[in-house]
Amino acid sequence: MDVIDCHCHVYPERIAERATAAVGAFYDIHMDVENGTTVGLLTACEGSPIKRFVIHSVATRADQVRSINDFVADECAAHPEFTGFMTLHQDLTDNELQTEIDHACERGLRGIKLHPDTQQVDMDDPRLMRVYEIAQARKLPMIIHTGDYRYDYSHPRRMKRILRDFPDLVVNAAHFGGWSIFDLAVEYLEDENCFMDMSSSMALIGRRRTRELTRLHGTDRIMFGSDFPMWSPTAELDEFVAAGFSDAELENLLRNNALRFLGEA
């Protein structure tokens, strides 16, 4: 079975090592991968069953949005195994927002990635409501970093509000819906209409809790993701498979759910 990695960060070569180090410093985690280039991602997965990747990056300033989206689009054009998601920023005006979304879609990007904690914005900030409105209307799936014990920007209760206000929005509430606050994610999101990936979680919770959370949220909702370059995709895949799922469950977790999230099934 070909596996889809639905959560990969990539950076231009000139800044990849610096950007990767900054991410490691933000989370106080030693990075398994030295840099986050697309070549590094593909090289790390050579010979593995991971054959397709959802790639993205995050703008921490509004003036970075266009260059980041063009970089991701260029990488997708060069590598058919990539599906690119655009970045946006809360400080874009309504006109700028629409222009950037139009431009990114014309370049072939298929969805939107937000990271409230690094962008320092509440997930349900009024400035982001227009993003969700457009994404819902245009059927653009979204990956939204959710949860961090250190910050309130991405708290699962904010995700719950978004899902209730935009019931047709297709969302991956990343990291089991609440990185480092997994039980709160269960409290707020267990019965909500969203996908979740399991990226950047197994090192914190282990195999048993990974299996429990996956089945609690639903094996028709959880998707495999590595959060490259934070972790090695192949090592994360091996650890996830070893958590003890059935073959039928793995078909959903490693491929089918991602296809549905991307609107391809």
Side-chain angles (χ1 to χ4, degrees), residues 88-226:
L88 296 170
H89 193 275
Q90 65 270 16
D91 289 339
L92 294 172
T93 67
D94 281 354
N95 286 340
E96 289 171 337
L97 178 64
Q98 188 64 66
T99 296
E100 293 300 336
I101 292 175
D102 288 343
H103 175 77
C105 288
E106 288 168 2
R107 293 289 325 267
L109 300 187
R110 297 270 304 279
I112 299 167
K113 167 66 188 288
L114 298 177
H115 195 309
D117 297 330
T118 58
Q119 294 179 302
Q120 297 185 328
V121 61
D122 290 341
M123 187 189 298
D124 56 355
D125 186 290
R127 291 172 293 174
L128 293 179
M129 293 300 110
R130 182 63 175 152
V131 174
Y132 304 133
E133 182 181 9
I134 295 172
Q136 179 175 256
R138 299 182 66 159
K139 302 186 185 303
L140 294 170
M142 299 190 68
I143 301 172
I144 306 178
H145 172 98
T146 311
D148 191 317
Y149 72 95
R150 303 168 298 173
Y151 306 106
D152 193 56
Y153 298 121
S154 62
H155 196 283
R157 75 176 186 282
R158 299 187 186 278
M159 174 62 76
K160 186 182 186 78
R161 177 190 172 194
I162 293 163
L163 295 171
R164 293 296 177 91
D165 288 350
F166 300 92
D168 295 324
L169 188 65
V170 178
V171 176
N172 168 14
H175 319 303
F176 277 122
W179 181 79
S180 72
I181 51 174
F182 302 103
D183 290 343
L184 286 172
V186 173
E187 177 182 345
Y188 284 100
L189 301 176
E190 179 182 3
D191 298 318
E192 296 301 318
N193 180 28
C194 64
F195 292 90
M196 298 176 177
D197 69 46
M198 43 58 65
S199 66
S200 283
S201 300
M202 295 196 69
L204 298 178
I205 62 177
R207 293 178 184 177
R208 177 177 175 178
R209 188 58 174 157
T210 293
R211 184 173 65 251
E212 291 172 347
L213 284 177
T214 298
R215 289 175 173 161
L216 181 63
H217 286 298
T219 56
D220 59 343
R221 297 173 67 192
I222 304 299
M223 303 180 292
F224 171 72
S226 68

